[in-house]
Amino acid sequence: MPAPSILARPKPTYWLSYLLVMPLAGFMVAAFIVVGGSAMLDHKTTREEILTAWAVATTLITLFALNVDRRKPHFELTDSALRIGRGSYATVIPLEEIESAVFGLPEYTPWWFCVLRFAPQSRGAHQFISMTRANTLFIRFGERRYVPLCLYYTWMQNGRELMESLREQLRDKLVGAESYTAAEVKALGLAKFNRVGVVRG
């Protein structure tokens, strides 16, 4: 009997975060445009212009983010395939086409990442990035494609369950970190998590 599929997607509380994040992002974009535009045009902005710019920027950013989040952070695992994305934007990876997988990305030590470790205000960001990279499943499949998959986020419903089930299904294809090629290490320097990439070179 086939195992039931596992669907991982953002929790309802994730969408509530829009109430805080999007107005702040809209304010930053509006401030940049209004201040820069006023300086260029030698124009003294009014309170109404600032509020209008803030409202328009917040609306546009929210609509863009909703469109992206509605399609991309959506993952489904069945006994035969991994689906990344939703609808016509989805990438379907048959498990039989997966060539190998590595748990944990290569160590990442550019100078600015090392600085995060010692800057008190950035230490949390360093720890989060390190944790994400250590818990990412790097999946290789056809035509030099790959995906660094990490769903161990508190805001991702069923993310941990999907990751653990996928690791179990790929147990015969798991290989060590020594299998990373120089091109893969370079590509993963700034890994685009949960997105399909192609190894160049």
Side-chain angles (χ1 to χ4, degrees):
M1 181 177 179
S5 64
I6 302 174
L7 177 62
R9 57 187 175 185
K11 295 179 180 178
T13 50
Y14 174 83
W15 305 107
L16 293 177
S17 67
Y18 272 53
L19 298 177
L20 174 63
V21 175
M22 296 307 161
L24 179 60
F27 175 79
M28 295 173 64
V29 171
F32 176 78
I33 294 175
V34 169
V35 172
S38 298
M40 291 177 60
L41 301 174
D42 195 23
H43 169 70
K44 184 177 180 181
T45 55
T46 65
R47 183 172 181 271
E48 289 73 19
E49 289 173 339
I50 294 174
L51 290 176
T52 300
W54 173 64
V56 171
T58 299
T59 300
L60 293 177
I61 292 173
T62 301
L63 290 175
F64 174 78
L66 281 172
N67 184 52
V68 172
D69 283 349
R70 180 180 60 85
R71 297 181 283 107
K72 289 190 175 180
H74 190 275
F75 308 86
E76 185 175 8
L77 175 66
T78 67
D79 60 344
S80 61
L82 171 66
R83 177 185 293 269
I84 301 174
R86 176 184 290 180
S88 59
Y89 297 92
T91 298
V92 179
I93 308 173
L95 298 186
E96 63 180 14
E97 291 186 9
I98 294 178
E99 298 163 2
S100 62
V102 186
F103 189 69
L105 298 188
E107 291 188 10
Y108 183 41
T109 54
W111 68 268
W112 64 265
F113 186 65
C114 295
V115 169
L116 292 179
R117 180 184 303 175
F118 301 104
Q121 65 272 22
S122 304
R123 200 166 293 152
H126 179 277
Q127 293 175 348
F128 176 77
I129 296 172
S130 297
M131 180 277 295
T132 301
R133 293 181 68 87
N135 290 281
T136 293
L137 187 63
F138 178 74
I139 300 171
R140 302 180 178 101
F141 59 107
E143 299 177 348
R144 299 172 63 86
R145 291 180 295 170
Y146 67 89
V147 58
L149 189 71
C150 184
L151 304 179
Y152 291 107
Y153 303 120
T154 56
W155 52 267
M156 182 66 73
Q157 183 176 351
N158 297 327
R160 177 175 295 274
E161 290 79 0
L162 189 150
M163 291 289 295
E164 296 301 328
S165 180
L166 181 58
R167 285 184 66 184
E168 176 61 24
Q169 293 193 50
L170 297 179
R171 62 185 180 277
D172 295 333
K173 297 184 179 183
L174 287 174
V175 295
E178 67 279 359
S179 67
Y180 279 120
T181 66
E184 289 173 343
V185 172
K186 181 179 180 180
L188 293 170
L190 289 173
K192 296 181 179 179
F193 297 100
N194 307 323
R195 291 173 59 182
V196 174
V198 179
V199 177
R200 307 294 182 185

